[in-house]
Amino acid sequence: MSPLLDIKGLSVSFRTPRGDLKALRDVALQVGRGEIVGIIGESGCGKSTLINAIIGLLPANTGAVKGHIGFDGQELVGLPINAMRKLRGERITTIFQDPMTALNPVLTIGAQMTAIQYRRRASTSEKRRRAIEFLEKVRMPDAARRLDQYPHQFSGGMRQRICIAMALLTEPDLLIADEPTTALDATLEVQVIHLLRELQRDIGCSVLFISHHLGAVAELCGRVAIMYAGEVVEQGTAGDIFRDPRHPYTRKLLECDPGRITERQEILPTIPGELPDLVHVPQGCIFRDRCPERFALCGERPPEVTVRPGHQAACHKARELVAS
Amino acid sequence: MTPLLEVSDVVIRFPIHSRIAARLTGQPSSIEAVAGVSFTLEAGSTYALVGESGSGKTTLARAITGLVPIEGGQVDFAGRTISGLSEAALRGVRREIAMIFQDPIGSLSPRLSVRAILAEPFKVHGETADLDGKIARLLDDVGLSPHFAQRYPHQLSGGQARRVSIARALALRPKLVIADEPTAGLDVSIQGEMLNLMRDLQRKFGTTFLMITHNLNVVRHVADRMAVMYLGRIVEEGLTDDIFKAPRHRYTTALLSANLKAEPEAASYVIEAEGETPSLLNRPKGCEFHPRCLFKREVCRTAMPEEQMPSADHRFACHNPA
């Protein structure tokens, strides 16, 4: 069966006063049916551009969009706005980072949850019943009564559950979760992640989970893609990425995670240097300037090395860099 | 070591209903955002306040700087009581206590250049001699080159904006810096840079840091002492190493076990706290954590636990500790 989401050779640039900023370059990513794929990357790596390209919400200063985004056999690049609107909010839904700004503060939860069912031919009471059913699915106690409350009357964790319930209400094929746990404390984060996994099994949708919390990705995702400066530099199963990372950027990123450093450190590891300028994209490997493994060949664009089936790293040394 | 900051039994309330509305709805007329909190901060150390959003961490920090009035208790700073001081008297104190806010770009005025942002504290306190020299030194302290003075906040990356807010906080060489989620939303590498920078500055200037965060991975590496807050109270307090090695309060154990590691499969042993944080409007009876606690006993429903001190450096309030 073909993957649900099949991105190939996707490049997106933005027009800026300094010239075209090449925000995404030749990105390939697949999300299978019923699969949970994590994307990890620092701010500025192109995660948001990738999501916006999928849901057709690229900003007005977008320049060229090249390549393919296949969604269930349909090409999304260049899709007319009306056709995109049919998919968005119906077959592709999104949960955002901040549940407070994602909800309308002056409408009750019930009003918002019935309003988004505008495509369904059903009575208002039928829509309310479905809203209650989904609030119960996200384990909202006393759902029927709370339907008439406003967003400010809920705690942060509850608000994010409401957003999840709303995103799943249409039983989408693809759920995009953009840093959904960043605003939550550790106990609530675990709850939301376990809830997402359970509901994903229940509904059978695919999930694209974007986060820079490595622990959350390891807990939830089957497959993981690592992005750096507009490119996918490595992808594989969660086990491949976290136990046998082959791209030096992935390796440095994991070294920097204070959660993996068990002894208290005086000085925390960092990745020296800065992101490259994406208006004047340097030749060769994009990570070269910051890479501890750099050698002569890195001035040339690295090949996509297949370490094992399903595990690729874009690095000249990918075969040599084995786990120490 | 001498205490720089002593917070004693501080209570902070926010009005939510008029007295009549309170009587009609049967709800209290105010909520206790901070309900009797005490802790001591040694000079030159780093102290972390940990807890979920809504646990009162930020409110407490704002009260220390006098931005929120306190209803009970006392705050002593560098040997004098600063709670209840007038605005005018507070001005002198505020040059010794600086804040770094959570949103690094949002806390810098978009219409001021970095130079103007860094000049402001000096102007407010009338220290305008050699302003350019002072600004250049500040930028150097936080590892930014002098040409950053000409930039505007939108021209800064997240990490650079944090450096500017740290520079601004340090401008008047404060004794205490309160950092509210200083690394929230930062990538792990830049987070490391910020924490290393704060540590360098602490060594260089002897600055004391009060850090508010819900990132336990950060706390373990940087804080000497920590307090875990829940619903406006400290439920456990002590040396960071002790609490990480042997947490006692059941909320602390849940928090620590929920701290996900980037190790697939190995991560799955998690003591999950049940349900949601109760509302401050409707504080549970007995131990306030009991509705979510997997280890509750009968007594937890009825009696609020007394504070216990297993050692001089560690205290917690739990009927059935780990």
Side-chain angles (χ1 to χ4, degrees), chain A residues 187-202:
Chain A
T187 58
L188 297 174
E189 175 171 56
V190 171
Q191 285 181 359
V192 165
I193 282 173
H194 290 174
L195 183 69
L196 268 177
R197 185 161 53 202
E198 210 173 283
L199 293 172
Q200 180 271 337
R201 281 186 193 142
D202 191 16

Side-chain angles (χ1 to χ4, degrees), chain B residues 10 33 44 61 64 68 119 132 177 179 184 217 234 268 282 297 305 315:
Chain B
V10 163
I64 291 167
V68 173
D132 285 312
V177 172
N217 293 331
I234 290 180
S268 291
N282 195 5
R297 294 173 175 173
R315 60 189 159 101

Side-chain angles (χ1 to χ4, degrees), chain B:
Chain B
M1 288 236 254
T2 47
L4 178 70
L5 179 76
E6 272 188 279
V7 172
S8 322
D9 218 13
V10 163
V11 175
I12 302 165
R13 289 195 186 94
F14 293 121
I16 45 160
H17 290 303
S18 69
R19 232 173 267 168
I20 294 171
R23 185 147 309 164
L24 288 175
T25 57
Q27 287 181 337
S29 64
S30 65
I31 52 168
E32 268 185 2
V34 175
V37 162
S38 307
F39 66 94
T40 303
L41 196 48
E42 302 290 340
S45 70
T46 298
Y47 193 98
L49 285 178
V50 178
E52 56 202 340
S53 33
S55 62
K57 310 178 298 256
T58 300
T59 305
L60 181 59
R62 290 171 64 88
I64 291 167
T65 57
L67 293 171
V68 173
I70 69 171
E71 293 240 343
Q74 185 171 319
V75 179
D76 294 299
F77 175 75
R80 68 192 267 233
T81 303
I82 58 166
S83 45
L85 285 184
S86 67
E87 266 307 298
L90 266 177
R91 218 178 151 113
V93 176
R94 285 210 181 115
R95 60 165 303 152
E96 314 231 290
I97 305 179
M99 260 189 112
I100 300 172
F101 297 94
Q102 193 171 105
D103 177 358
I105 309 246
S107 66
L108 303 175
S109 168
R111 304 189 56 172
L112 295 181
S113 66
V114 168
R115 182 189 183 279
I117 288 166
L118 296 181
E120 219 168 7
F122 296 112
K123 286 183 180 159
V124 168
H125 291 277
E127 297 179 10
T128 47
D130 187 29
L131 205 48
D132 285 312
K134 285 175 181 160
I135 289 166
R137 270 196 296 281
L138 274 180
L139 286 172
D140 184 55
D141 284 341
V142 296
L144 290 174
S145 64
H147 71 259
F148 274 95
Q150 314 313 324
R151 295 217 191 164
Y152 284 83
H154 73 271
Q155 296 167 313
L156 303 172
S157 70
Q160 289 161 351
R162 301 259 173 176
R163 285 178 191 264
V164 171
S165 42
I166 293 175
R168 174 175 63 182
L170 290 171
L172 300 166
R173 295 275 175 269
K175 292 195 175 98
L176 174 65
V177 172
I178 299 176
D180 191 354
E181 299 279 7
T183 63
L186 287 184
D187 313 310
V188 281
S189 163
I190 298 170
Q191 168 176 292
E193 282 177 28
M194 287 308 117
L195 298 171
N196 291 344
L197 173 66
M198 284 164 68
R199 175 157 292 170
D200 285 351
L201 295 169
Q202 181 167 55
R203 290 235 175 86
K204 205 158 147 193
F205 304 120
T207 319
T208 308
F209 280 97
L210 176 61
M211 196 182 285
I212 298 163
T213 182
H214 60 232
N215 186 336
L216 293 164
N217 293 331
V218 165
V219 170
R220 179 170 53 173
H221 293 295
V222 303
D224 303 299
R225 282 185 84 88
M226 66 187 278
V228 180
M229 289 186 71
Y230 190 76
L231 289 185
R233 296 181 210 279
I234 290 180
V235 296
E236 182 155 9
E237 200 266 355
L239 294 172
T240 307
D241 287 343
D242 291 352
I243 292 183
F244 270 84
K245 266 185 213 125
R248 306 296 303 274
H249 194 284
R250 296 298 183 174
Y251 176 62
T252 317
T253 56
L255 209 56
L256 292 180
S257 84
N259 189 21
L260 298 174
K261 304 271 188 317
E263 286 153 19
E265 290 126 57
S268 291
Y269 178 68
V270 168
I271 312 167
E272 225 179 280
E274 304 171 311
E276 279 287 312
T277 319
S279 160
L280 289 173
L281 274 173
N282 195 5
R283 285 178 177 274
K285 290 206 167 53
C287 170
E288 291 177 342
F289 184 62
H290 90 258
R292 297 181 66 195
C293 186
L294 297 176
F295 302 91
K296 58 180 167 266
R297 294 173 175 173
E298 208 39 53
V299 58
C300 305
R301 292 176 211 275
T302 51
M304 188 172 257
E306 294 283 322
E307 199 160 84
Q308 306 180 39
M309 288 188 71
S311 76
D313 263 326
H314 191 174
R315 60 189 159 101
F316 64 90
C318 180
H319 288 301
N320 187 17

